[in-house]
Amino acid sequence: VQLQASGGGLVQAGGSLRLSCAASGRINRHTMAWFRQAPGKEREFVSAFRPSGGGGMTYFADSVKGRFTISRDNAENTVYLQMNSLKPEDTAVYYCAAGSERLIASTLKRAGAYDYWGQGTLVTVSS
C-alpha cells in the first residue's frame, strides 16, 4: 500500500485544516492512523481508525480530543483528519500510516506498529 498525504498548510490559531491520505490500495481491512513530528521532537500519535464490525473504532491523543476527527472513505481509499481549533503547538509534519486491522488499543498508538507510511504534509499554525 502506498500512501500520499496532502492538505497541510499555514493557518492562524483557531483555524481549521483537513488532511487527506490517499491509498493506492484498499484500506477497509487496515487500521489507518495519523502521527505528527514537530522539529526536534519524536514522532507522536495523533489519531487512528480501526475497523470493527461494520464500522470502526476511533482513537485520539489527549492533546487533540474534541478538536480533531478522523474519518475514512473506503470507496475512495482515503482517510481524513479534520483539525479544528488549531493551536501553535499543533505545528508539525503530519504522517499517515496503515497497519493491521488487528492492532489493539495499546499498540495502535506506537509508530512501530504500522507497516506503511506516507511522505508527510506540513501543518504550520501561527499565533
Side-chain angles (χ1 to χ4, degrees):
V1 176
Q2 292 183 327
L3 305 174
Q4 184 166 359
S6 62
L10 174 64
V11 64
Q12 289 187 333
S16 298
L17 281 175
R18 189 178 79 157
L19 305 184
S20 300
C21 176
S24 62
R26 298 182 66 182
I27 62 171
N28 58 313
R29 298 291 298 272
H30 286 85
T31 294
M32 301 298 296
W34 289 94
F35 286 77
R36 67 187 181 186
Q37 188 166 16
K41 295 187 177 182
E42 294 185 353
R43 192 168 298 190
E44 65 174 2
F45 171 79
V46 175
S47 181
F49 187 112
R50 180 173 64 85
S52 178
M57 296 286 291
T58 58
Y59 303 84
F60 297 93
D62 289 343
S63 59
V64 306
K65 280 182 182 176
R67 300 188 297 122
F68 291 11
T69 57
I70 187 170
S71 61
R72 60 198 282 166
D73 184 334
N74 289 335
E76 295 294 328
N77 295 318
T78 300
V79 63
Y80 302 98
L81 184 69
Q82 178 67 42
M83 306 186 296
N84 299 327
S85 302
L86 283 162
K87 304 176 181 180
E89 50 264 44
D90 294 318
T91 295
V93 177
Y94 284 71
Y95 298 89
C96 60
S100 169
E101 63 178 332
R102 296 183 179 86
L103 291 179
I104 60 176
S106 61
T107 304
L108 56 76
K109 296 181 180 180
R110 301 175 188 171
Y114 292 86
D115 305 306
Y116 307 98
W117 290 85
Q119 84 286 6
T121 185
L122 176 63
V123 172
T124 304
V125 184
S126 64
S127 57

